[in-house]
Amino acid sequence: MNKGKKNSNKPKVKIQGKSGFLRKAIYALLGISLIGILGGSFLTYFSLFKSNVFLGDKQEDYIYIKTGSELKDVVDMLEERRIIINKNTFRFFAEFRQYSGKAIKPGRYKIKKGMGNFELLRVLKSGAQEPIKLILTNARTKEQLAGIISHKLEADSLSIITLLNDHAYLYPFGFNPDNVIGMFIPNTYEFYWNTNAEAFFKKMEKEYTIFWTETRKRKAAQKNLTPGEVAILASIVEKETNYNPEKGNIAGVYLNRIKKGMPLQADPTVVFAVGDFSIRRVTGVHTSIDSPYNTYKNLGFPPGPICMPSKASLDAVLDAKEHAFLYFCAKGDGSGSHLFAENLDQHNKNARQYHRTLNERGIH
């Protein structure tokens, strides 16, 4: 019996040994799994929310996502600008959140220092762009205008110039390549960066319509002018003087000359015809040039505006002073003011004084 008891106890000891080993093994596996889960969760949290945006000394900046961009383009842009710290974690979560194809919305986005991947992707996927302010002011040529626009918007200079020179495209707007610059009213406008050339034109047409109220149209008609002719004359006035108080008088001189069938003989149109905007003193060499913009040789208005006239100059034409002056001459003293004359003799006296002043100032 004793032997039987001893024999019966041995299996129990072996079973207990196995159970202890299995228990320890299970605990060890659970521990490893728990560590793996916690470690993975920590790594996931670390990769999602830890700062992955570096802006140096800046607290915020802007990034530009081009139309048609893929994820690789976005990652490359962020890396090239040294904005992103770890491109791999950003790419991983971007793919995880299906940031590709149509989900990549072009535009200008504000980013902040210390953003993690989660927040950065939230901003980019939202499509909530930061608008830009486009200041349109006194461009002298279509090329200059296109440069101003393309410097601020995604639309490039070529696409803008192409439309500015496209008769068929401009015709429904009521413009042509010669006078189209008159469609743009100088002001500060708000756009989204990814605006293309055609969307820009449509916006400008609306602004043009807003500017040309019934009151302004009526004033133009009372002077036997179309809005286009107002823009042309205003552009000449714009380049004659920066002195707003005299713009109405200068506009009145040109309107008087038009009524009498006299040539405008506007120096700024000659400068435009020559194409050298550094000219400070117009001479016979310049006024002899063959060009439809040479108002010494051609009667009436030139084909289009010689610059983008300001609202002040446009309204100066619409509210032009009624007087008998047919001539005016700058004083030449840098004040921007002028001497006005009703006849050629008085004008010649004024002109001689003007030239003496220029000579004294060393302007040739």
Side-chain angles (χ1 to χ4, degrees):
M1 292 296 292
N2 290 338
K3 290 180 179 179
K5 287 181 181 179
K6 288 179 181 178
N7 291 335
S8 62
N9 288 337
K10 287 180 181 179
K12 290 180 180 179
V13 173
K14 289 180 180 179
I15 291 171
Q16 288 175 354
K18 288 180 179 179
S19 297
F21 174 78
L22 289 172
R23 191 180 295 112
K24 289 178 181 179
I26 291 170
Y27 288 157
L29 288 172
L30 288 172
I32 293 169
S33 299
L34 184 59
I35 290 171
I37 292 170
L38 291 175
S41 298
F42 176 76
L43 181 60
T44 300
Y45 179 87
F46 183 84
S47 299
L48 269 175
F49 300 103
K50 178 178 170 54
S51 171
N52 200 27
V53 170
F54 176 74
L55 300 178
D57 296 332
K58 297 180 182 179
Q59 293 301 311
E60 60 184 37
D61 202 350
Y62 295 92
I63 58 175
Y64 300 82
I65 308 298
K66 295 180 180 180
T67 299
S69 291
E70 296 294 339
L71 176 57
K72 181 182 182 302
D73 302 317
V74 177
V75 174
D76 289 344
M77 178 272 296
L78 292 171
E79 187 178 29
E80 285 171 10
R81 288 190 56 190
R82 299 183 180 180
I83 285 173
I84 202 162
I85 299 169
N86 190 322
K87 70 175 183 180
N88 294 324
T89 59
F90 174 79
R91 183 188 289 110
F92 173 79
F93 285 109
E95 291 173 347
F96 178 75
R97 295 197 63 195
Q98 297 181 325
Y99 182 61
S100 62
K102 293 183 178 179
I104 299 179
K105 300 177 175 66
R108 173 181 183 258
Y109 296 93
K110 181 191 287 185
I111 58 173
K112 297 181 179 180
K113 186 176 184 177
M115 273 183 164
N117 290 321
F118 181 85
E119 190 175 4
L120 177 57
L121 280 168
R122 180 183 61 79
V123 169
L124 297 182
K125 286 197 73 177
S126 71
Q129 294 189 55
E130 289 287 325
I132 62 101
K133 292 190 182 301
L134 173 63
I135 300 174
L136 290 183
T137 181
N138 205 18
R140 304 191 74 153
T141 65
K142 290 181 287 186
E143 289 74 19
Q144 286 181 357
L145 175 61
I148 292 169
I149 299 165
S150 63
H151 183 68
K152 284 288 188 176
L153 303 181
E154 185 179 19
D156 59 33
S157 294
L158 180 59
S159 65
I160 297 164
I161 285 291
T162 298
L163 293 186
L164 287 171
N165 289 322
D166 189 333
H167 285 268
Y169 179 79
L170 296 176
Y171 182 78
F173 291 91
F175 291 91
N176 60 55
D178 289 324
N179 64 20
V180 65
I181 201 167
M183 188 177 82
F184 304 98
I185 308 298
N187 208 340
T188 299
Y189 298 100
E190 197 169 83
F191 282 93
Y192 285 122
W193 173 77
N194 60 312
T195 301
N196 61 30
E198 292 193 10
F200 173 78
F201 268 78
K202 289 177 182 177
K203 165 80 170 175
M204 288 296 96
E205 182 193 27
K206 289 181 181 178
E207 296 296 337
Y208 179 84
T209 302
I210 291 170
F211 175 81
W212 279 101
T213 61
E214 290 303 316
T215 299
R216 285 190 169 108
K217 288 178 182 177
R218 185 172 62 254
K219 286 182 178 181
Q222 288 170 349
K223 289 180 169 53
N224 295 316
L225 297 174
T226 66
E229 290 171 334
V230 171
I232 293 171
L233 182 50
S235 73
I236 297 172
V237 172
E238 181 81 16
K239 286 305 168 188
E240 287 286 11
T241 184
N242 292 321
Y243 188 49
N244 286 340
E246 284 190 358
K247 286 183 175 181
N249 280 330
I250 292 174
V253 168
Y254 284 125
L255 289 174
N256 287 342
R257 294 177 76 84
I258 289 289
K259 289 176 186 176
K260 289 183 175 293
M262 298 172 63
L264 294 181
Q265 294 186 329
D267 287 357
T269 65
V270 176
V271 172
F272 183 86
V274 174
D276 181 0
F277 300 127
S278 67
I279 295 172
R280 300 179 67 185
R281 187 171 180 175
V282 173
T283 68
V285 174
H286 305 119
T287 57
S288 63
I289 188 174
D290 288 325
S291 168
Y293 286 90
N294 184 350
T295 55
Y296 278 81
K297 282 193 168 186
N298 304 287
L299 289 175
F301 293 113
I306 58 171
C307 72
M308 186 191 302
S310 65
K311 288 182 179 180
S313 294
L314 289 164
D315 285 331
V317 172
L318 294 173
D319 297 320
K321 305 294 183 183
E322 293 188 7
H323 51 59
F325 298 130
L326 289 172
Y327 305 91
F328 67 93
C329 180
K331 291 181 179 179
D333 58 0
S335 66
S337 57
H338 297 76
L339 297 171
F340 294 84
E342 296 182 14
N343 57 67
L344 187 57
D345 286 341
Q346 184 59 52
H347 173 64
N348 287 336
K349 290 179 183 178
N350 293 338
R352 285 193 292 271
Q353 177 59 47
Y354 169 67
H355 290 130
R356 279 196 299 271
T357 304
L358 290 186
N359 291 333
E360 290 169 2
R361 296 177 63 199
I363 298 174
H364 302 286

mmCIF file with all atom_site columns, all heavy atoms in Angstrom, residues 92-109:
data_model
loop_
_atom_site.group_PDB
_atom_site.id
_atom_site.type_symbol
_atom_site.label_atom_id
_atom_site.label_alt_id
_atom_site.label_comp_id
_atom_site.label_asym_id
_atom_site.label_entity_id
_atom_site.label_seq_id
_atom_site.pdbx_PDB_ins_code
_atom_site.Cartn_x
_atom_site.Cartn_y
_atom_site.Cartn_z
_atom_site.occupancy
_atom_site.B_iso_or_equiv
_atom_site.pdbx_formal_charge
_atom_site.auth_seq_id
_atom_site.auth_comp_id
_atom_site.auth_asym_id
_atom_site.auth_atom_id
_atom_site.pdbx_PDB_model_num
ATOM 1   N N   . PHE A 1 92  ? 3.239   57.553 -44.010 1.00 0.00 ? 92  PHE A N   1
ATOM 2   C CA  . PHE A 1 92  ? 2.501   56.391 -43.504 1.00 0.00 ? 92  PHE A CA  1
ATOM 3   C C   . PHE A 1 92  ? 1.080   56.774 -43.115 1.00 0.00 ? 92  PHE A C   1
ATOM 4   O O   . PHE A 1 92  ? 0.111   56.139 -43.523 1.00 0.00 ? 92  PHE A O   1
ATOM 5   C CB  . PHE A 1 92  ? 3.230   55.785 -42.307 1.00 0.00 ? 92  PHE A CB  1
ATOM 6   C CG  . PHE A 1 92  ? 2.458   54.697 -41.611 1.00 0.00 ? 92  PHE A CG  1
ATOM 7   C CD1 . PHE A 1 92  ? 2.427   53.423 -42.141 1.00 0.00 ? 92  PHE A CD1 1
ATOM 8   C CD2 . PHE A 1 92  ? 1.730   54.968 -40.466 1.00 0.00 ? 92  PHE A CD2 1
ATOM 9   C CE1 . PHE A 1 92  ? 1.700   52.415 -41.516 1.00 0.00 ? 92  PHE A CE1 1
ATOM 10  C CE2 . PHE A 1 92  ? 1.005   53.974 -39.839 1.00 0.00 ? 92  PHE A CE2 1
ATOM 11  C CZ  . PHE A 1 92  ? 0.985   52.690 -40.363 1.00 0.00 ? 92  PHE A CZ  1
ATOM 12  N N   . PHE A 1 93  ? 0.946   57.835 -42.342 1.00 0.00 ? 93  PHE A N   1
ATOM 13  C CA  . PHE A 1 93  ? -0.390  58.225 -41.887 1.00 0.00 ? 93  PHE A CA  1
ATOM 14  C C   . PHE A 1 93  ? -1.189  58.889 -43.000 1.00 0.00 ? 93  PHE A C   1
ATOM 15  O O   . PHE A 1 93  ? -2.418  58.814 -42.998 1.00 0.00 ? 93  PHE A O   1
ATOM 16  C CB  . PHE A 1 93  ? -0.286  59.139 -40.664 1.00 0.00 ? 93  PHE A CB  1
ATOM 17  C CG  . PHE A 1 93  ? 0.063   58.371 -39.426 1.00 0.00 ? 93  PHE A CG  1
ATOM 18  C CD1 . PHE A 1 93  ? 1.301   58.501 -38.849 1.00 0.00 ? 93  PHE A CD1 1
ATOM 19  C CD2 . PHE A 1 93  ? -0.833  57.486 -38.858 1.00 0.00 ? 93  PHE A CD2 1
ATOM 20  C CE1 . PHE A 1 93  ? 1.648   57.767 -37.729 1.00 0.00 ? 93  PHE A CE1 1
ATOM 21  C CE2 . PHE A 1 93  ? -0.503  56.748 -37.732 1.00 0.00 ? 93  PHE A CE2 1
ATOM 22  C CZ  . PHE A 1 93  ? 0.741   56.885 -37.169 1.00 0.00 ? 93  PHE A CZ  1
ATOM 23  N N   . ALA A 1 94  ? -0.510  59.502 -43.943 1.00 0.00 ? 94  ALA A N   1
ATOM 24  C CA  . ALA A 1 94  ? -1.210  60.064 -45.095 1.00 0.00 ? 94  ALA A CA  1
ATOM 25  C C   . ALA A 1 94  ? -1.838  58.940 -45.917 1.00 0.00 ? 94  ALA A C   1
ATOM 26  O O   . ALA A 1 94  ? -2.990  59.038 -46.352 1.00 0.00 ? 94  ALA A O   1
ATOM 27  C CB  . ALA A 1 94  ? -0.248  60.882 -45.953 1.00 0.00 ? 94  ALA A CB  1
ATOM 28  N N   . GLU A 1 95  ? -1.095  57.864 -46.113 1.00 0.00 ? 95  GLU A N   1
ATOM 29  C CA  . GLU A 1 95  ? -1.635  56.710 -46.839 1.00 0.00 ? 95  GLU A CA  1
ATOM 30  C C   . GLU A 1 95  ? -2.743  56.048 -46.043 1.00 0.00 ? 95  GLU A C   1
ATOM 31  O O   . GLU A 1 95  ? -3.765  55.634 -46.603 1.00 0.00 ? 95  GLU A O   1
ATOM 32  C CB  . GLU A 1 95  ? -0.508  55.716 -47.129 1.00 0.00 ? 95  GLU A CB  1
ATOM 33  C CG  . GLU A 1 95  ? 0.513   56.233 -48.150 1.00 0.00 ? 95  GLU A CG  1
ATOM 34  C CD  . GLU A 1 95  ? 1.709   55.306 -48.295 1.00 0.00 ? 95  GLU A CD  1
ATOM 35  O OE1 . GLU A 1 95  ? 1.858   54.405 -47.440 1.00 0.00 ? 95  GLU A OE1 1
ATOM 36  O OE2 . GLU A 1 95  ? 2.491   55.492 -49.255 1.00 0.00 ? 95  GLU A OE2 1
ATOM 37  N N   . PHE A 1 96  ? -2.547  55.963 -44.724 1.00 0.00 ? 96  PHE A N   1
ATOM 38  C CA  . PHE A 1 96  ? -3.552  55.356 -43.858 1.00 0.00 ? 96  PHE A CA  1
ATOM 39  C C   . PHE A 1 96  ? -4.866  56.136 -43.913 1.00 0.00 ? 96  PHE A C   1
ATOM 40  O O   . PHE A 1 96  ? -5.950  55.562 -43.927 1.00 0.00 ? 96  PHE A O   1
ATOM 41  C CB  . PHE A 1 96  ? -3.035  55.313 -42.417 1.00 0.00 ? 96  PHE A CB  1
ATOM 42  C CG  . PHE A 1 96  ? -4.019  54.741 -41.442 1.00 0.00 ? 96  PHE A CG  1
ATOM 43  C CD1 . PHE A 1 96  ? -4.263  53.382 -41.388 1.00 0.00 ? 96  PHE A CD1 1
ATOM 44  C CD2 . PHE A 1 96  ? -4.711  55.577 -40.575 1.00 0.00 ? 96  PHE A CD2 1
ATOM 45  C CE1 . PHE A 1 96  ? -5.178  52.857 -40.486 1.00 0.00 ? 96  PHE A CE1 1
ATOM 46  C CE2 . PHE A 1 96  ? -5.629  55.063 -39.674 1.00 0.00 ? 96  PHE A CE2 1
ATOM 47  C CZ  . PHE A 1 96  ? -5.869  53.693 -39.624 1.00 0.00 ? 96  PHE A CZ  1
ATOM 48  N N   . ARG A 1 97  ? -4.770  57.449 -44.002 1.00 0.00 ? 97  ARG A N   1
ATOM 49  C CA  . ARG A 1 97  ? -5.958  58.297 -44.041 1.00 0.00 ? 97  ARG A CA  1
ATOM 50  C C   . ARG A 1 97  ? -6.420  58.562 -45.470 1.00 0.00 ? 97  ARG A C   1
ATOM 51  O O   . ARG A 1 97  ? -7.271  59.409 -45.717 1.00 0.00 ? 97  ARG A O   1
ATOM 52  C CB  . ARG A 1 97  ? -5.698  59.623 -43.333 1.00 0.00 ? 97  ARG A CB  1
ATOM 53  C CG  . ARG A 1 97  ? -5.439  59.486 -41.839 1.00 0.00 ? 97  ARG A CG  1
ATOM 54  C CD  . ARG A 1 97  ? -5.604  60.812 -41.135 1.00 0.00 ? 97  ARG A CD  1
ATOM 55  N NE  . ARG A 1 97  ? -6.964  61.317 -41.240 1.00 0.00 ? 97  ARG A NE  1
ATOM 56  C CZ  . ARG A 1 97  ? -7.331  62.568 -40.977 1.00 0.00 ? 97  ARG A CZ  1
ATOM 57  N NH1 . ARG A 1 97  ? -6.420  63.445 -40.618 1.00 0.00 ? 97  ARG A NH1 1
ATOM 58  N NH2 . ARG A 1 97  ? -8.585  62.961 -41.092 1.00 0.00 ? 97  ARG A NH2 1
ATOM 59  N N   . GLN A 1 98  ? -5.830  57.856 -46.433 1.00 0.00 ? 98  GLN A N   1
ATOM 60  C CA  . GLN A 1 98  ? -6.231  57.912 -47.839 1.00 0.00 ? 98  GLN A CA  1
ATOM 61  C C   . GLN A 1 98  ? -6.113  59.338 -48.400 1.00 0.00 ? 98  GLN A C   1
ATOM 62  O O   . GLN A 1 98  ? -6.995  59.836 -49.098 1.00 0.00 ? 98  GLN A O   1
ATOM 63  C CB  . GLN A 1 98  ? -7.651  57.381 -48.014 1.00 0.00 ? 98  GLN A CB  1
ATOM 64  C CG  . GLN A 1 98  ? -7.784  55.914 -47.621 1.00 0.00 ? 98  GLN A CG  1
ATOM 65  C CD  . GLN A 1 98  ? -9.188  55.396 -47.814 1.00 0.00 ? 98  GLN A CD  1
ATOM 66  O OE1 . GLN A 1 98  ? -10.166 56.111 -47.613 1.00 0.00 ? 98  GLN A OE1 1
ATOM 67  N NE2 . GLN A 1 98  ? -9.299  54.139 -48.210 1.00 0.00 ? 98  GLN A NE2 1
ATOM 68  N N   . TYR A 1 99  ? -4.996  59.964 -48.065 1.00 0.00 ? 99  TYR A N   1
ATOM 69  C CA  . TYR A 1 99  ? -4.708  61.300 -48.587 1.00 0.00 ? 99  TYR A CA  1
ATOM 70  C C   . TYR A 1 99  ? -4.041  61.135 -49.944 1.00 0.00 ? 99  TYR A C   1
ATOM 71  O O   . TYR A 1 99  ? -2.819  61.164 -50.080 1.00 0.00 ? 99  TYR A O   1
ATOM 72  C CB  . TYR A 1 99  ? -3.812  62.064 -47.611 1.00 0.00 ? 99  TYR A CB  1
ATOM 73  C CG  . TYR A 1 99  ? -3.479  63.478 -48.038 1.00 0.00 ? 99  TYR A CG  1
ATOM 74  C CD1 . TYR A 1 99  ? -4.478  64.432 -48.218 1.00 0.00 ? 99  TYR A CD1 1
ATOM 75  C CD2 . TYR A 1 99  ? -2.153  63.866 -48.247 1.00 0.00 ? 99  TYR A CD2 1
ATOM 76  C CE1 . TYR A 1 99  ? -4.174  65.728 -48.606 1.00 0.00 ? 99  TYR A CE1 1
ATOM 77  C CE2 . TYR A 1 99  ? -1.831  65.173 -48.640 1.00 0.00 ? 99  TYR A CE2 1
ATOM 78  C CZ  . TYR A 1 99  ? -2.853  66.093 -48.809 1.00 0.00 ? 99  TYR A CZ  1
ATOM 79  O OH  . TYR A 1 99  ? -2.543  67.381 -49.194 1.00 0.00 ? 99  TYR A OH  1
ATOM 80  N N   . SER A 1 100 ? -4.860  60.998 -50.966 1.00 0.00 ? 100 SER A N   1
ATOM 81  C CA  . SER A 1 100 ? -4.373  60.812 -52.330 1.00 0.00 ? 100 SER A CA  1
ATOM 82  C C   . SER A 1 100 ? -5.490  61.174 -53.292 1.00 0.00 ? 100 SER A C   1
ATOM 83  O O   . SER A 1 100 ? -6.648  61.339 -52.894 1.00 0.00 ? 100 SER A O   1
ATOM 84  C CB  . SER A 1 100 ? -3.937  59.355 -52.554 1.00 0.00 ? 100 SER A CB  1
ATOM 85  O OG  . SER A 1 100 ? -5.047  58.484 -52.384 1.00 0.00 ? 100 SER A OG  1
ATOM 86  N N   . GLY A 1 101 ? -5.126  61.306 -54.577 1.00 0.00 ? 101 GLY A N   1
ATOM 87  C CA  . GLY A 1 101 ? -6.132  61.607 -55.591 1.00 0.00 ? 101 GLY A CA  1
ATOM 88  C C   . GLY A 1 101 ? -6.897  62.879 -55.296 1.00 0.00 ? 101 GLY A C   1
ATOM 89  O O   . GLY A 1 101 ? -6.339  63.926 -54.999 1.00 0.00 ? 101 GLY A O   1
ATOM 90  N N   . LYS A 1 102 ? -8.249  62.778 -55.332 1.00 0.00 ? 102 LYS A N   1
ATOM 91  C CA  . LYS A 1 102 ? -9.101  63.948 -55.109 1.00 0.00 ? 102 LYS A CA  1
ATOM 92  C C   . LYS A 1 102 ? -9.051  64.450 -53.674 1.00 0.00 ? 102 LYS A C   1
ATOM 93  O O   . LYS A 1 102 ? -9.478  65.578 -53.390 1.00 0.00 ? 102 LYS A O   1
ATOM 94  C CB  . LYS A 1 102 ? -10.544 63.615 -55.491 1.00 0.00 ? 102 LYS A CB  1
ATOM 95  C CG  . LYS A 1 102 ? -10.742 63.379 -56.991 1.00 0.00 ? 102 LYS A CG  1
ATOM 96  C CD  . LYS A 1 102 ? -12.201 63.115 -57.320 1.00 0.00 ? 102 LYS A CD  1
ATOM 97  C CE  . LYS A 1 102 ? -12.384 62.925 -58.819 1.00 0.00 ? 102 LYS A CE  1
ATOM 98  N NZ  . LYS A 1 102 ? -13.802 62.650 -59.180 1.00 0.00 ? 102 LYS A NZ  1
ATOM 99  N N   . ALA A 1 103 ? -8.561  63.617 -52.770 1.00 0.00 ? 103 ALA A N   1
ATOM 100 C CA  . ALA A 1 103 ? -8.454  64.046 -51.371 1.00 0.00 ? 103 ALA A CA  1
ATOM 101 C C   . ALA A 1 103 ? -7.366  65.104 -51.204 1.00 0.00 ? 103 ALA A C   1
ATOM 102 O O   . ALA A 1 103 ? -7.357  65.835 -50.207 1.00 0.00 ? 103 ALA A O   1
ATOM 103 C CB  . ALA A 1 103 ? -8.156  62.846 -50.476 1.00 0.00 ? 103 ALA A CB  1
ATOM 104 N N   . ILE A 1 104 ? -6.445  65.192 -52.164 1.00 0.00 ? 104 ILE A N   1
ATOM 105 C CA  . ILE A 1 104 ? -5.394  66.220 -52.115 1.00 0.00 ? 104 ILE A CA  1
ATOM 106 C C   . ILE A 1 104 ? -5.945  67.488 -52.762 1.00 0.00 ? 104 ILE A C   1
ATOM 107 O O   . ILE A 1 104 ? -6.079  67.573 -53.974 1.00 0.00 ? 104 ILE A O   1
ATOM 108 C CB  . ILE A 1 104 ? -4.117  65.752 -52.837 1.00 0.00 ? 104 ILE A CB  1
ATOM 109 C CG1 . ILE A 1 104 ? -3.566  64.494 -52.158 1.00 0.00 ? 104 ILE A CG1 1
ATOM 110 C CG2 . ILE A 1 104 ? -3.065  66.857 -52.834 1.00 0.00 ? 104 ILE A CG2 1
ATOM 111 C CD1 . ILE A 1 104 ? -2.316  63.941 -52.795 1.00 0.00 ? 104 ILE A CD1 1
ATOM 112 N N   . LYS A 1 105 ? -6.300  68.432 -51.928 1.00 0.00 ? 105 LYS A N   1
ATOM 113 C CA  . LYS A 1 105 ? -6.928  69.666 -52.400 1.00 0.00 ? 105 LYS A CA  1
ATOM 114 C C   . LYS A 1 105 ? -5.863  70.752 -52.563 1.00 0.00 ? 105 LYS A C   1
ATOM 115 O O   . LYS A 1 105 ? -5.167  71.086 -51.610 1.00 0.00 ? 105 LYS A O   1
ATOM 116 C CB  . LYS A 1 105 ? -8.007  70.111 -51.419 1.00 0.00 ? 105 LYS A CB  1
ATOM 117 C CG  . LYS A 1 105 ? -9.123  69.087 -51.243 1.00 0.00 ? 105 LYS A CG  1
ATOM 118 C CD  . LYS A 1 105 ? -10.130 69.546 -50.215 1.00 0.00 ? 105 LYS A CD  1
ATOM 119 C CE  . LYS A 1 105 ? -11.303 68.580 -50.125 1.00 0.00 ? 105 LYS A CE  1
ATOM 120 N NZ  . LYS A 1 105 ? -10.924 67.260 -49.623 1.00 0.00 ? 105 LYS A NZ  1
ATOM 121 N N   . PRO A 1 106 ? -5.738  71.294 -53.773 1.00 0.00 ? 106 PRO A N   1
ATOM 122 C CA  . PRO A 1 106 ? -4.731  72.338 -53.999 1.00 0.00 ? 106 PRO A CA  1
ATOM 123 C C   . PRO A 1 106 ? -5.079  73.611 -53.228 1.00 0.00 ? 106 PRO A C   1
ATOM 124 O O   . PRO A 1 106 ? -6.249  73.855 -52.904 1.00 0.00 ? 106 PRO A O   1
ATOM 125 C CB  . PRO A 1 106 ? -4.803  72.574 -55.509 1.00 0.00 ? 106 PRO A CB  1
ATOM 126 C CG  . PRO A 1 106 ? -6.206  72.191 -55.874 1.00 0.00 ? 106 PRO A CG  1
ATOM 127 C CD  . PRO A 1 106 ? -6.555  71.048 -54.974 1.00 0.00 ? 106 PRO A CD  1
ATOM 128 N N   . GLY A 1 107 ? -4.065  74.389 -52.938 1.00 0.00 ? 107 GLY A N   1
ATOM 129 C CA  . GLY A 1 107 ? -4.328  75.655 -52.266 1.00 0.00 ? 107 GLY A CA  1
ATOM 130 C C   . GLY A 1 107 ? -3.190  76.101 -51.375 1.00 0.00 ? 107 GLY A C   1
ATOM 131 O O   . GLY A 1 107 ? -2.122  75.487 -51.320 1.00 0.00 ? 107 GLY A O   1
ATOM 132 N N   . ARG A 1 108 ? -3.447  77.177 -50.668 1.00 0.00 ? 108 ARG A N   1
ATOM 133 C CA  . ARG A 1 108 ? -2.489  77.793 -49.752 1.00 0.00 ? 108 ARG A CA  1
ATOM 134 C C   . ARG A 1 108 ? -2.981  77.533 -48.328 1.00 0.00 ? 108 ARG A C   1
ATOM 135 O O   . ARG A 1 108 ? -4.071  77.953 -47.950 1.00 0.00 ? 108 ARG A O   1
ATOM 136 C CB  . ARG A 1 108 ? -2.411  79.296 -50.032 1.00 0.00 ? 108 ARG A CB  1
ATOM 137 C CG  . ARG A 1 108 ? -1.577  80.121 -49.056 1.00 0.00 ? 108 ARG A CG  1
ATOM 138 C CD  . ARG A 1 108 ? -1.651  81.579 -49.496 1.00 0.00 ? 108 ARG A CD  1
ATOM 139 N NE  . ARG A 1 108 ? -0.830  82.458 -48.690 1.00 0.00 ? 108 ARG A NE  1
ATOM 140 C CZ  . ARG A 1 108 ? -1.306  83.254 -47.728 1.00 0.00 ? 108 ARG A CZ  1
ATOM 141 N NH1 . ARG A 1 108 ? -2.588  83.243 -47.440 1.00 0.00 ? 108 ARG A NH1 1
ATOM 142 N NH2 . ARG A 1 108 ? -0.491  84.049 -47.062 1.00 0.00 ? 108 ARG A NH2 1
ATOM 143 N N   . TYR A 1 109 ? -2.140  76.843 -47.546 1.00 0.00 ? 109 TYR A N   1
ATOM 144 C CA  . TYR A 1 109 ? -2.549  76.420 -46.214 1.00 0.00 ? 109 TYR A CA  1
ATOM 145 C C   . TYR A 1 109 ? -1.611  76.980 -45.147 1.00 0.00 ? 109 TYR A C   1
ATOM 146 O O   . TYR A 1 109 ? -0.390  76.993 -45.324 1.00 0.00 ? 109 TYR A O   1
ATOM 147 C CB  . TYR A 1 109 ? -2.579  74.893 -46.120 1.00 0.00 ? 109 TYR A CB  1
ATOM 148 C CG  . TYR A 1 109 ? -3.598  74.268 -47.042 1.00 0.00 ? 109 TYR A CG  1
ATOM 149 C CD1 . TYR A 1 109 ? -3.230  73.844 -48.325 1.00 0.00 ? 109 TYR A CD1 1
ATOM 150 C CD2 . TYR A 1 109 ? -4.925  74.126 -46.655 1.00 0.00 ? 109 TYR A CD2 1
ATOM 151 C CE1 . TYR A 1 109 ? -4.162  73.292 -49.190 1.00 0.00 ? 109 TYR A CE1 1
ATOM 152 C CE2 . TYR A 1 109 ? -5.865  73.565 -47.500 1.00 0.00 ? 109 TYR A CE2 1
ATOM 153 C CZ  . TYR A 1 109 ? -5.477  73.153 -48.768 1.00 0.00 ? 109 TYR A CZ  1
ATOM 154 O OH  . TYR A 1 109 ? -6.412  72.609 -49.620 1.00 0.00 ? 109 TYR A OH  1
#
